[in-house]
Coordinates of all heavy atoms in Angstrom, one line a residue:
A4 N 0.8 -1.2 0.0 CA 0.0 0.0 0.0 C 0.9 1.3 0.0 O 0.4 2.3 -0.4 CB -0.9 0.0 1.2
V5 N 2.1 1.2 0.5 CA 2.9 2.3 0.5 C 3.7 2.6 -0.8 O 4.3 3.6 -0.9 CB 3.9 2.2 1.8 CG1 5.0 1.3 1.5 CG2 4.4 3.6 2.2
M6 N 3.7 1.6 -1.7 CA 4.5 1.7 -2.9 C 4.2 2.9 -3.7 O 5.1 3.6 -4.2 CB 4.3 0.4 -3.7 CG 5.2 0.4 -5.0 SD 6.9 0.3 -4.6 CE 7.1 -1.4 -4.3
P7 N 2.9 3.3 -4.0 CA 2.7 4.6 -4.8 C 3.3 5.8 -4.1 O 3.9 6.6 -4.8 CB 1.2 4.7 -4.8 CG 0.7 3.3 -4.6 CD 1.7 2.6 -3.7
A8 N 3.1 5.9 -2.8 CA 3.7 7.1 -2.1 C 5.2 7.1 -2.2 O 5.9 8.1 -2.3 CB 3.2 7.2 -0.7
Y9 N 5.8 5.9 -2.0 CA 7.2 5.8 -2.1 C 7.8 6.2 -3.5 O 8.8 6.9 -3.6 CB 7.6 4.3 -1.8 CG 9.1 4.1 -1.8 CD1 10.0 4.5 -0.8 CD2 9.7 3.4 -2.9 CE1 11.3 4.3 -0.9 CE2 11.0 3.2 -3.0 CZ 11.9 3.6 -2.0 OH 13.2 3.4 -2.0
L10 N 7.1 5.7 -4.5 CA 7.6 6.1 -5.9 C 7.4 7.5 -6.2 O 8.2 8.1 -6.9 CB 6.9 5.2 -6.9 CG 7.3 3.7 -6.8 CD1 6.4 2.8 -7.7 CD2 8.7 3.5 -7.1
V11 N 6.3 8.1 -5.7 CA 6.1 9.6 -5.9 C 7.2 10.4 -5.2 O 7.8 11.3 -5.7 CB 4.7 10.0 -5.4 CG1 4.7 11.5 -5.4 CG2 3.7 9.5 -6.4
A12 N 7.6 9.9 -4.0 CA 8.6 10.6 -3.2 C 10.0 10.4 -3.9 O 10.8 11.3 -4.0 CB 8.7 10.1 -1.8
L13 N 10.2 9.2 -4.5 CA 11.5 9.0 -5.2 C 11.6 9.8 -6.4 O 12.6 10.4 -6.7 CB 11.5 7.5 -5.6 CG 12.8 7.0 -6.1 CD1 13.9 7.1 -5.1 CD2 12.7 5.5 -6.5
R14 N 10.5 10.0 -7.2 CA 10.5 10.8 -8.4 C 10.7 12.3 -8.0 O 11.5 13.0 -8.7 CB 9.2 10.6 -9.2 CG 9.1 9.3 -9.9 CD 7.8 9.1 -10.5 NE 7.7 9.9 -11.7 CZ 6.6 10.0 -12.4 NH1 5.5 9.3 -12.1 NH2 6.5 10.8 -13.5
S15 N 10.0 12.8 -7.0 CA 10.2 14.2 -6.7 C 11.6 14.4 -6.0 O 12.2 15.5 -6.3 CB 9.1 14.6 -5.7 OG 9.1 13.9 -4.5
G16 N 12.1 13.5 -5.3 CA 13.4 13.6 -4.7 C 14.5 13.6 -5.8 O 15.5 14.3 -5.7
L17 N 14.3 12.8 -6.8 CA 15.3 12.8 -7.9 C 15.3 14.2 -8.6 O 16.3 14.7 -9.0 CB 14.9 11.7 -8.9 CG 15.8 11.5 -10.2 CD1 17.1 11.0 -9.7 CD2 15.2 10.6 -11.1
G18 N 14.1 14.7 -8.8 CA 14.0 16.1 -9.4 C 14.7 17.2 -8.6 O 15.4 18.0 -9.1
L19 N 14.4 17.1 -7.3 CA 15.0 18.1 -6.4 C 16.5 17.9 -6.3 O 17.3 18.9 -6.2 CB 14.4 18.0 -5.0 CG 13.0 18.6 -4.8 CD1 12.5 18.3 -3.4 CD2 13.1 20.1 -5.0
G20 N 17.0 16.7 -6.3 CA 18.4 16.4 -6.2 C 19.1 17.0 -7.4 O 20.2 17.6 -7.3
R21 N 18.5 16.8 -8.6 CA 19.1 17.4 -9.8 C 19.2 18.9 -9.7 O 20.2 19.5 -10.1 CB 18.4 16.9 -11.0 CG 19.1 17.2 -12.3 CD 18.4 16.7 -13.5 NE 18.4 15.2 -13.5 CZ 19.4 14.5 -14.0 NH1 20.5 15.0 -14.4 NH2 19.3 13.2 -14.0
M22 N 18.1 19.5 -9.2 CA 18.1 21.0 -9.1 C 19.1 21.5 -8.1 O 19.8 22.5 -8.4 CB 16.7 21.5 -8.7 CG 15.7 21.4 -9.8 SD 14.1 22.2 -9.6 CE 13.7 21.8 -7.9
F23 N 19.3 20.7 -7.0 CA 20.3 21.1 -6.0 C 21.7 21.0 -6.6 O 22.6 21.8 -6.3 CB 20.2 20.3 -4.8 CG 18.9 20.7 -4.0 CD1 18.3 19.7 -3.3 CD2 18.5 22.0 -3.9 CE1 17.1 20.1 -2.5 CE2 17.3 22.3 -3.2 CZ 16.7 21.4 -2.5
V24 N 22.0 20.0 -7.4 CA 23.3 19.9 -8.0 C 23.6 21.1 -8.9 O 24.7 21.7 -8.9 CB 23.4 18.5 -8.8 CG1 24.6 18.5 -9.7 CG2 23.5 17.4 -7.8
V25 N 22.6 21.4 -9.7 CA 22.8 22.6 -10.6 C 23.0 23.9 -9.8 O 23.8 24.7 -10.1 CB 21.6 22.7 -11.6 CG1 21.7 24.0 -12.4 CG2 21.6 21.5 -12.6
A26 N 22.2 24.0 -8.7 CA 22.3 25.2 -7.9 C 23.7 25.2 -7.2 O 24.3 26.3 -7.1 CB 21.3 25.2 -6.8
A27 N 24.3 24.1 -6.8 CA 25.6 24.1 -6.3 C 26.6 24.4 -7.3 O 27.7 25.1 -7.0 CB 25.9 22.7 -5.7
E28 N 26.4 24.1 -8.6 CA 27.3 24.4 -9.6 C 27.3 25.9 -9.9 O 28.3 26.5 -10.4 CB 27.0 23.6 -10.9 CG 27.3 22.2 -10.8 CD 26.8 21.4 -12.0 OE1 26.1 22.0 -12.9 OE2 27.1 20.2 -12.1
F29 N 26.2 26.6 -9.6 CA 26.1 28.0 -9.7 C 27.1 28.7 -8.8 O 27.7 29.8 -9.1 CB 24.7 28.6 -9.3 CG 23.7 28.5 -10.4 CD1 22.4 28.2 -10.1 CD2 24.0 28.8 -11.7 CE1 21.4 28.1 -11.1 CE2 23.0 28.8 -12.7 CZ 21.7 28.4 -12.4
M30 N 27.4 28.1 -7.7 CA 28.1 28.8 -6.6 C 29.6 28.7 -6.8 O 30.4 29.4 -6.1 CB 27.7 28.2 -5.3 CG 26.3 28.6 -4.9 SD 26.0 28.0 -3.3 CE 24.2 27.9 -3.3
G31 N 30.1 27.9 -7.6 CA 31.6 27.9 -7.7 C 32.2 26.7 -8.4 O 33.3 26.3 -8.2
A32 N 31.5 26.1 -9.3 CA 32.0 25.0 -10.1 C 32.7 25.5 -11.3 O 32.4 26.6 -11.8 CB 31.0 24.0 -10.4
S33 N 33.6 24.7 -11.9 CA 34.2 25.1 -13.1 C 33.7 24.3 -14.3 O 34.3 24.4 -15.4 CB 35.7 25.0 -13.0 OG 36.1 23.7 -12.7
E34 N 32.7 23.5 -14.1 CA 32.1 22.7 -15.2 C 30.7 22.3 -14.7 O 30.4 22.3 -13.6 CB 33.0 21.5 -15.6 CG 33.3 20.6 -14.4 CD 34.2 19.5 -14.8 OE1 35.1 19.7 -15.7 OE2 34.1 18.4 -14.3
G35 N 29.9 21.8 -15.7 CA 28.6 21.4 -15.4 C 27.5 22.3 -16.0 O 27.8 23.4 -16.5
L36 N 26.3 21.9 -15.8 CA 25.2 22.7 -16.4 C 25.0 24.0 -15.7 O 24.8 25.1 -16.3 CB 23.9 21.9 -16.3 CG 23.7 20.8 -17.3 CD1 22.4 20.0 -17.0 CD2 23.7 21.2 -18.7
G37 N 25.2 24.0 -14.4 CA 25.1 25.3 -13.6 C 26.2 26.3 -14.0 O 25.9 27.5 -14.1
Y38 N 27.4 25.8 -14.2 CA 28.5 26.6 -14.7 C 28.2 27.2 -16.1 O 28.4 28.4 -16.3 CB 29.8 25.8 -14.7 CG 30.9 26.6 -15.3 CD1 31.5 27.6 -14.6 CD2 31.4 26.3 -16.6 CE1 32.6 28.3 -15.2 CE2 32.4 27.0 -17.2 CZ 33.0 28.0 -16.5 OH 34.0 28.7 -17.0
L39 N 27.6 26.3 -17.0 CA 27.3 26.8 -18.3 C 26.2 27.9 -18.2 O 26.2 28.9 -19.0 CB 26.9 25.7 -19.2 CG 27.9 24.7 -19.6 CD1 27.3 23.5 -20.4 CD2 29.0 25.4 -20.4
L40 N 25.3 27.7 -17.3 CA 24.2 28.7 -17.2 C 24.7 30.1 -16.6 O 24.2 31.1 -17.0 CB 23.1 28.2 -16.3 CG 22.2 27.2 -16.9 CD1 21.3 26.6 -15.8 CD2 21.4 27.8 -18.0
T41 N 25.7 30.0 -15.8 CA 26.3 31.3 -15.3 C 27.4 31.9 -16.2 O 27.6 33.1 -16.2 CB 26.9 31.1 -13.9 OG1 27.9 30.1 -13.9 CG2 25.8 30.7 -12.9
D42 N 28.0 31.0 -16.9 CA 29.1 31.5 -17.8 C 28.5 32.1 -19.1 O 29.1 33.1 -19.6 CB 30.0 30.3 -18.2 CG 31.2 30.7 -19.0 OD1 31.9 31.6 -18.5 OD2 31.5 30.1 -20.0
G43 N 27.4 31.6 -19.5 CA 26.8 32.2 -20.8 C 26.5 33.6 -20.7 O 26.9 34.4 -21.6
P44 N 25.8 34.2 -19.7 CA 25.5 35.6 -19.7 C 26.7 36.5 -19.5 O 26.8 37.5 -20.1 CB 24.6 35.8 -18.4 CG 24.1 34.4 -18.1 CD 25.1 33.4 -18.6
Q45 N 27.7 35.9 -18.8 CA 29.0 36.7 -18.6 C 29.8 36.9 -19.9 O 30.4 37.9 -20.1 CB 29.9 36.1 -17.6 CG 29.3 36.1 -16.2 CD 30.1 35.3 -15.2 OE1 31.0 34.7 -15.5 NE2 29.6 35.4 -13.9
L46 N 29.7 35.9 -20.8 CA 30.4 35.9 -22.0 C 29.5 36.3 -23.2 O 30.0 36.4 -24.3 CB 31.1 34.6 -22.3 CG 32.1 34.1 -21.3 CD1 32.6 32.7 -21.6 CD2 33.2 35.1 -21.2
G47 N 28.3 36.5 -22.9 CA 27.3 36.9 -24.0 C 27.0 35.8 -25.0 O 27.1 36.0 -26.2
K48 N 26.8 34.6 -24.5 CA 26.5 33.4 -25.3 C 25.1 32.9 -25.0 O 24.9 32.0 -24.2 CB 27.5 32.3 -25.0 CG 28.9 32.7 -25.3 CD 29.8 31.5 -25.0 CE 31.3 31.7 -25.3 NZ 32.1 30.6 -25.0
P49 N 24.1 33.5 -25.7 CA 22.7 33.0 -25.4 C 22.5 31.6 -25.9 O 21.7 30.9 -25.3 CB 21.9 34.0 -26.2 CG 22.8 34.6 -27.2 CD 24.1 34.6 -26.6
A50 N 23.2 31.2 -26.9 CA 23.0 29.8 -27.4 C 23.5 28.8 -26.3 O 22.9 27.7 -26.2 CB 23.8 29.6 -28.7
Q51 N 24.5 29.2 -25.6 CA 25.0 28.3 -24.5 C 24.0 28.2 -23.4 O 23.8 27.1 -22.8 CB 26.4 28.8 -24.0 CG 27.0 28.0 -22.9 CD 28.3 28.6 -22.4 OE1 29.0 29.1 -23.3 NE2 28.6 28.4 -21.2
I52 N 23.4 29.3 -23.1 CA 22.3 29.3 -22.0 C 21.2 28.4 -22.4 O 20.7 27.6 -21.7 CB 21.9 30.7 -21.8 CG1 23.0 31.6 -21.3 CG2 20.8 30.7 -20.7 CD1 22.7 33.1 -21.3
V53 N 20.7 28.6 -23.6 CA 19.5 27.8 -24.1 C 19.9 26.4 -24.2 O 19.1 25.5 -23.8 CB 19.0 28.4 -25.5 CG1 18.0 27.5 -26.1 CG2 18.5 29.8 -25.3
T54 N 21.1 26.0 -24.7 CA 21.5 24.6 -24.8 C 21.6 24.0 -23.4 O 21.1 22.8 -23.2 CB 22.9 24.6 -25.5 OG1 22.8 25.2 -26.8 CG2 23.3 23.1 -25.6
A55 N 22.1 24.7 -22.4 CA 22.2 24.2 -21.1 C 20.8 23.9 -20.5 O 20.5 22.9 -19.8 CB 23.0 25.1 -20.2
I56 N 19.8 24.9 -20.7 CA 18.5 24.7 -20.2 C 17.8 23.5 -20.9 O 17.1 22.7 -20.2 CB 17.7 26.0 -20.4 CG1 18.2 27.1 -19.5 CG2 16.2 25.8 -20.2 CD1 17.7 28.5 -19.8
I57 N 17.9 23.4 -22.2 CA 17.3 22.3 -22.9 C 17.9 20.9 -22.5 O 17.2 20.0 -22.3 CB 17.4 22.5 -24.5 CG1 16.5 23.6 -24.9 CG2 17.1 21.2 -25.2 CD1 16.7 24.1 -26.3
T58 N 19.3 20.9 -22.3 CA 19.9 19.7 -21.8 C 19.4 19.3 -20.4 O 19.1 18.1 -20.2 CB 21.4 19.9 -21.8 OG1 21.9 20.3 -23.1 CG2 22.1 18.6 -21.3
F59 N 19.3 20.3 -19.6 CA 18.7 20.1 -18.2 C 17.3 19.5 -18.3 O 17.0 18.5 -17.6 CB 18.8 21.4 -17.4 CG 18.3 21.2 -16.0 CD1 19.0 20.5 -15.1 CD2 17.2 21.9 -15.6 CE1 18.5 20.3 -13.8 CE2 16.7 21.8 -14.3 CZ 17.4 21.0 -13.4
A60 N 16.5 20.0 -19.2 CA 15.1 19.6 -19.3 C 15.1 18.1 -19.9 O 14.3 17.3 -19.4 CB 14.3 20.5 -20.2
I61 N 15.9 17.9 -20.9 CA 15.9 16.5 -21.5 C 16.4 15.5 -20.5 O 15.8 14.4 -20.4 CB 16.7 16.5 -22.8 CG1 16.0 17.3 -23.9 CG2 17.0 15.1 -23.2 CD1 16.9 17.5 -25.1
L62 N 17.4 15.8 -19.8 CA 17.9 14.8 -18.8 C 16.9 14.6 -17.7 O 16.7 13.5 -17.2 CB 19.3 15.4 -18.1 CG 20.5 15.3 -19.0 CD1 21.7 15.9 -18.4 CD2 20.8 13.8 -19.3
G63 N 16.3 15.7 -17.2 CA 15.2 15.5 -16.2 C 14.1 14.7 -16.6 O 13.6 13.8 -15.9
K64 N 13.6 15.0 -17.8 CA 12.4 14.2 -18.4 C 12.8 12.8 -18.6 O 12.0 11.8 -18.4 CB 11.9 14.9 -19.6 CG 10.7 14.2 -20.2 CD 9.6 14.3 -19.3 CE 8.3 13.6 -19.9 NZ 7.3 13.4 -19.0
A65 N 14.0 12.5 -19.1 CA 14.5 11.1 -19.4 C 14.6 10.3 -18.1 O 14.1 9.2 -18.1 CB 15.8 11.1 -20.1
T66 N 15.2 10.9 -17.1 CA 15.3 10.1 -15.8 C 13.9 9.9 -15.2 O 13.7 8.9 -14.6 CB 16.3 10.8 -14.8 OG1 15.8 12.2 -14.6 CG2 17.7 10.8 -15.4
D67 N 13.1 10.9 -15.2 CA 11.7 10.8 -14.7 C 10.9 9.7 -15.4 O 10.2 8.9 -14.8 CB 11.0 12.1 -14.7 CG 9.6 12.0 -14.0 OD1 9.6 11.6 -12.8 OD2 8.6 12.3 -14.7
S68 N 11.0 9.7 -16.7 CA 10.3 8.7 -17.6 C 10.8 7.3 -17.3 O 10.1 6.4 -17.2 CB 10.5 9.0 -19.0 OG 9.8 10.3 -19.3
L69 N 12.2 7.2 -17.1 CA 12.7 5.9 -16.9 C 12.3 5.3 -15.5 O 11.9 4.2 -15.3 CB 14.2 5.9 -16.9 CG 14.9 5.9 -18.3 CD1 16.4 6.1 -18.2 CD2 14.6 4.7 -19.0
L70 N 12.2 6.2 -14.5 CA 11.7 5.8 -13.2 C 10.2 5.5 -13.2 O 9.8 4.5 -12.6 CB 12.0 6.9 -12.2 CG 11.7 6.6 -10.7 CD1 12.6 5.4 -10.3 CD2 12.0 7.8 -9.9
A71 N 9.4 6.2 -14.0 CA 8.0 5.9 -14.1 C 7.8 4.6 -14.8 O 7.0 3.8 -14.5 CB 7.3 7.0 -14.8
L72 N 8.6 4.3 -15.9 CA 8.5 3.1 -16.6 C 8.9 1.9 -15.7 O 8.3 0.9 -15.8 CB 9.4 3.2 -17.8 CG 9.4 2.0 -18.8 CD1 8.0 1.9 -19.4 CD2 10.4 2.1 -19.9
G73 N 10.0 2.1 -14.9 CA 10.4 1.0 -14.0 C 9.4 0.8 -12.9 O 9.3 -0.3 -12.4
A74 N 8.6 1.8 -12.5 CA 7.6 1.6 -11.5 C 6.3 1.1 -12.0 O 5.5 0.6 -11.1 CB 7.4 3.0 -10.8
A75 N 6.0 1.2 -13.2 CA 4.7 0.7 -13.8 C 4.3 -0.7 -13.4 O 3.2 -0.9 -13.1 CB 4.7 0.9 -15.3
P76 N 5.2 -1.7 -13.5 CA 4.8 -3.0 -13.1 C 4.4 -3.1 -11.7 O 3.6 -4.0 -11.3 CB 6.1 -3.9 -13.3 CG 6.9 -3.1 -14.3 CD 6.6 -1.7 -14.0
F77 N 4.9 -2.3 -10.8 CA 4.5 -2.4 -9.4 C 3.2 -1.6 -9.1 O 2.7 -1.8 -8.0 CB 5.6 -1.7 -8.5 CG 6.9 -2.5 -8.7 CD1 8.0 -1.9 -9.4 CD2 7.1 -3.7 -8.1 CE1 9.2 -2.6 -9.5 CE2 8.3 -4.4 -8.3 CZ 9.3 -3.8 -8.9
L78 N 2.7 -0.9 -10.0 CA 1.5 -0.1 -9.8 C 0.3 -0.5 -10.6 O -0.7 0.2 -10.7 CB 1.8 1.4 -10.1 CG 2.8 2.0 -9.2 CD1 3.1 3.5 -9.6 CD2 2.5 1.9 -7.7
R79 N 0.3 -1.7 -11.2 CA -0.8 -2.2 -12.1 C -2.0 -2.4 -11.3 O -3.1 -2.4 -11.8 CB -0.3 -3.4 -12.8 CG 0.7 -3.2 -13.8 CD 0.8 -4.4 -14.8 NE 1.9 -4.2 -15.7 CZ 1.8 -3.5 -16.8 NH1 0.7 -2.8 -17.2 NH2 2.9 -3.3 -17.6
W80 N -1.9 -2.7 -10.0 CA -3.1 -3.0 -9.2 C -3.9 -1.7 -8.8 O -5.0 -1.8 -8.4 CB -2.7 -3.7 -7.9 CG -1.7 -2.8 -7.1 CD1 -0.3 -2.9 -7.2 CD2 -1.9 -1.9 -6.1 NE1 0.3 -2.0 -6.4 CE2 -0.7 -1.3 -5.7 CE3 -3.1 -1.4 -5.6 CZ2 -0.6 -0.3 -4.7 CZ3 -3.0 -0.4 -4.6 CH2 -1.8 0.1 -4.2
Q81 N -3.3 -0.6 -9.0 CA -3.9 0.7 -8.6 C -5.0 1.1 -9.6 O -4.8 1.0 -10.8 CB -2.8 1.8 -8.6 CG -3.0 2.8 -7.6 CD -1.8 3.8 -7.6 OE1 -1.0 3.8 -8.5 NE2 -1.7 4.6 -6.6
D82 N -6.1 1.7 -9.1 CA -7.2 2.1 -9.9 C -6.8 3.3 -10.8 O -7.3 3.4 -11.9 CB -8.4 2.5 -9.0 CG -9.0 1.3 -8.4 OD1 -8.9 0.2 -8.9 OD2 -9.7 1.5 -7.4
A83 N -5.9 4.1 -10.3 CA -5.6 5.3 -11.1 C -4.5 5.1 -12.1 O -4.1 6.0 -12.9 CB -5.1 6.4 -10.1
Y84 N -4.0 3.9 -12.2 CA -3.0 3.5 -13.2 C -3.5 3.6 -14.6 O -4.6 3.0 -14.9 CB -2.4 2.1 -12.9 CG -1.3 1.7 -13.9 CD1 -0.1 2.3 -13.9 CD2 -1.6 0.7 -14.8 CE1 0.9 1.9 -14.8 CE2 -0.6 0.3 -15.7 CZ 0.6 0.9 -15.7 OH 1.6 0.6 -16.6
G85 N -2.9 4.3 -15.5 CA -3.4 4.5 -16.8 C -2.9 3.5 -17.9 O -3.2 3.7 -19.0
G86 N -2.1 2.5 -17.5 CA -1.6 1.6 -18.5 C -2.3 0.4 -18.7 O -1.8 -0.6 -19.2
R87 N -3.6 0.3 -18.4 CA -4.4 -0.9 -18.5 C -4.8 -1.0 -20.0 O -5.1 -0.1 -20.7 CB -5.6 -0.9 -17.6 CG -5.2 -0.9 -16.2 CD -6.4 -0.9 -15.3 NE -6.0 -0.7 -14.0 CZ -6.6 -1.2 -12.9 NH1 -7.7 -1.8 -13.1 NH2 -6.1 -1.0 -11.7
E88 N -4.9 -2.3 -20.4 CA -5.4 -2.5 -21.8 C -6.9 -2.5 -21.9 O -7.6 -2.9 -21.0 CB -4.9 -3.9 -22.3 CG -3.4 -3.8 -22.7 CD -2.5 -4.4 -21.7 OE1 -2.8 -5.5 -21.2 OE2 -1.4 -3.9 -21.5

């Protein structure tokens, strides 16, 4: 009965963890997405900023989709599950 809540917490924790890593990169890293996001405006590279944002979005969506796909077999018993034939 706790499996749906556990998986929702895992998915939201994964998203928050990724955001915290990027926020930490804002503060003093010399590489990573956060660094690219802070380096782009200083050097006047809007393409670098947009690329970093799109990369961040694609990575976030891909990991969330993989986690949802991996959790689907465990949630087939649930009424709200949308993967029924």
Side-chain angles (χ1 to χ4, degrees):
V5 77
M6 184 65 80
Y9 178 76
L10 292 171
V11 167
L13 190 61
R14 287 174 71 183
S15 62
L17 181 67
L19 282 174
R21 188 175 297 277
M22 287 191 318
F23 289 145
V24 166
V25 172
E28 290 173 355
F29 276 141
M30 293 184 201
S33 60
E34 56 186 31
L36 288 176
Y38 173 74
L39 291 175
L40 284 171
T41 57
D42 188 47
Q45 292 174 355
L46 299 177
K48 297 181 179 179
Q51 180 176 328
I52 300 167
V53 172
T54 303
I56 291 171
I57 290 173
T58 303
F59 182 64
I61 290 172
L62 286 173
K64 183 61 179 170
T66 55
D67 184 58
S68 296
L69 284 174
L70 189 56
L72 184 66
F77 299 107
L78 300 177
R79 291 198 186 276
W80 58 271
Q81 212 177 13
D82 289 338
Y84 178 70
R87 296 179 186 209
E88 282 107 39

